[in-house]
Amino acid sequence: MDKNAINGKFKGKSFLKLLDFSSEDIQDLLDLSAKLKAEKKAGIAHKIHEGKNIALLFEKTSTRTRCAFEVAASDLGMSAVYLDPSGSQMGKKESIEDTAKVLGRMFDGIEYRGYGQNLVETLAKYAGVPVWNGLTNEFHPTQVLADLLTIKEHFGTLAGKKMVYMGDARFNMGNSLMVGCAKMGMNFVACAPEKYFPSKELIDQCQEIAKKTGAKLSFITDPMEATKGADVIYTDVWVSMGEPAEVWQERINDLLPYRVTSDVMENAGPQCIFMHCLPSFHDLNTTIGKDIYDKFGIDCMEVTDEVFNSKQSVVFDEAENRMHTIKAVMAATL
Ligand code: CP
Ligand code: NVA
């Protein structure tokens, strides 16, 4: 692996949202991810950033994203320092701008997971080193890279494939998947009650992109109409990190008809795969899952255990691909 991954095209750039990258850029990052994945499987080392240091700043909890950054950093020859949600002064005693300037003096790159997209954008503005968005309320771009890689691996192509996103389509996953599909010429369907559709502003931006890539974006409230012939059915939790517990009742009432069930998968057809960024409430083996069962009497939420564990489910391929794609983003931007 060349030290200047993708000919230095991305060197010094931050990775904050997919809107900042062209379709060709995204394809380049996916190709690099596939290459790094193949090298790792073949036991070929790629310590192209030996001696560099990165900071992992998490204001919300994580399993996949944190581990993906740590393992990928190690594979690239780097050290990673993890700052947990209570482990930094940022926001409480120190501004984002000052934190960015301090971390930028010590680290070669910074991952940030937190609340508003404006925070990660500010961090990038002042850090002087690449900043990578590990999830904000608005976007989760490294997840979508992993998802696109997974779809490409499964079908061999992205353009023309139909993805249906069921659930709260106006938060980080719905937003980012709509952008990703628009950029890659896919057909994206948000399937939810109208109030859960992405904002008009983001839809308009994506429609402009779609005009150039041939993508098609639709917004449909009827689950059976939306999912007919889908290649991918995607869902996410109904209540995201940082949202108050009080919204559970309303979300369950609104989104129960949008749960991914075997009927929905059958309606889509045998070609259809099931995707989820994880973590998922598909059984009662979590404290929140049990708590919701005690309060509302439902034994699963956004997806049934049957679909989650079915042959059509590729959720653990997505989880693995978080590492390969995050590695590609770091390899290319450092
Ligand atoms: N999908 C995802 O971002 O998972 P974590 O919250 O575990 O990082
Ligand atoms: N929408 C979810 C995604 C988790 C990866 C959340 O923000 O909690």
Side-chain angles (χ1 to χ4, degrees):
M1 172 66 54
D2 191 321
K3 257 191 193 294
N4 283 319
I6 325 182
N7 300 321
K9 179 180 176 187
F10 297 93
K11 200 172 163 58
K13 283 200 180 159
S14 288
F15 189 77
L16 306 178
K17 55 188 184 302
L18 292 177
L19 285 170
D20 301 337
F21 292 85
S22 69
S23 311
E24 193 199 348
D25 290 342
I26 296 170
Q27 191 54 58
D28 285 345
L29 289 170
L30 293 175
D31 291 345
L32 179 61
S33 307
K35 186 167 187 255
L36 290 164
K37 182 172 180 176
E39 284 188 0
K40 172 119 180 163
K41 303 266 175 206
I44 302 167
H46 34 235
K47 292 192 181 292
I48 58 169
H49 290 304
E50 193 106 56
K52 291 189 179 164
N53 295 283
I54 63 163
L56 307 177
L57 192 47
F58 281 80
E59 296 206 283
K60 292 174 177 170
T61 52
S62 166
T63 296
R64 275 146 294 274
T65 310
R66 175 189 175 177
C67 294
F69 270 98
E70 294 214 18
V71 172
S74 163
D75 284 356
L76 293 172
M78 306 192 289
S79 291
V81 172
Y82 173 68
L83 293 155
D84 76 13
S86 63
S88 86
Q89 313 280 26
M90 191 169 110
K92 301 172 281 281
K93 284 174 69 181
E94 196 159 31
S95 68
I96 315 277
E97 181 177 335
D98 290 356
T99 307
K101 288 174 179 169
V102 171
L103 296 181
R105 295 287 184 107
M106 297 185 198
F107 294 96
D108 299 286
I110 303 164
E111 180 274 357
Y112 173 79
R113 164 172 287 196
Y115 296 87
Q117 179 71 17
N118 60 316
L119 303 178
V120 77
E121 302 272 351
T122 305
L123 201 59
K125 184 170 168 198
Y126 294 106
V129 296
V131 171
W132 309 297
N133 179 358
L135 178 145
T136 59
N137 292 345
E138 291 88 342
F139 295 114
H140 196 4
T142 62
Q143 176 70 50
V144 174
L145 267 193
D147 297 337
L148 292 173
L149 180 66
T150 309
I151 297 168
K152 181 104 194 296
E153 286 173 345
H154 191 86
F155 293 109
T157 155
L158 294 174
K161 291 290 160 206
K162 172 177 172 178
M163 174 188 287
V164 182
Y165 181 89
M166 300 184 79
D168 184 359
R170 65 195 169 166
F171 214 73
N172 43 27
M173 284 315 306
N175 287 345
S176 304
L177 287 166
M178 179 170 71
V179 177
C181 287
K183 290 269 179 188
M184 303 320 281
M186 294 172 66
N187 295 338
F188 175 82
V189 182
C191 176
E194 261 178 48
K195 71 178 184 197
Y196 294 93
F197 289 159
S199 70
K200 184 177 178 311
E201 191 193 347
L202 187 63
I203 292 176
D204 289 347
Q205 268 179 294
C206 289
Q207 293 288 22
E208 282 306 307
I209 299 165
K211 275 188 206 155
K212 290 182 221 127
T213 63
K216 233 182 94 197
L217 312 178
S218 328
F219 304 89
I220 300 175
T221 53
D222 180 70
M224 289 298 153
E225 183 194 337
T227 53
K228 196 97 213 127
D231 298 298
V232 177
I233 293 184
Y234 202 118
T235 192
D236 181 18
V237 291
W238 290 340
V239 177
S240 286
M241 287 183 278
E243 294 198 283
E246 295 78 67
V247 301
W248 270 112
Q249 176 74 72
E250 187 191 15
R251 293 292 162 81
I252 290 170
N253 292 345
D254 290 344
L255 297 176
L256 207 52
Y258 299 88
R259 171 187 283 163
V260 184
T261 61
S262 297
D263 285 349
V264 167
M265 293 302 291
E266 263 168 45
N267 182 57
Q271 76 292 338
C272 186
I273 55 172
F274 170 71
M275 298 183 79
H276 193 310
C277 54
L278 307 182
S280 160
F281 295 122
H282 58 93
D283 59 20
L284 296 180
N285 297 329
T286 62
T287 47
I288 294 179
K290 273 202 211 88
D291 195 37
I292 294 296
Y293 176 75
D294 291 342
K295 284 197 186 113
F296 304 104
I298 53 170
D299 62 4
C300 64
M301 289 184 239
E302 70 276 5
V303 56
T304 61
D305 198 40
E306 190 185 2
V307 170
F308 186 89
N309 285 309
S310 68
K311 279 209 196 83
Q312 285 162 286
S313 172
V314 297
V315 296
F316 298 110
D317 295 332
E318 291 174 81
E320 177 188 335
N321 283 338
R322 296 297 309 285
M323 202 284 286
H324 305 298
T325 43
I326 280 172
K327 191 190 286 179
V329 168
M330 291 198 290
T333 55
L334 286 173

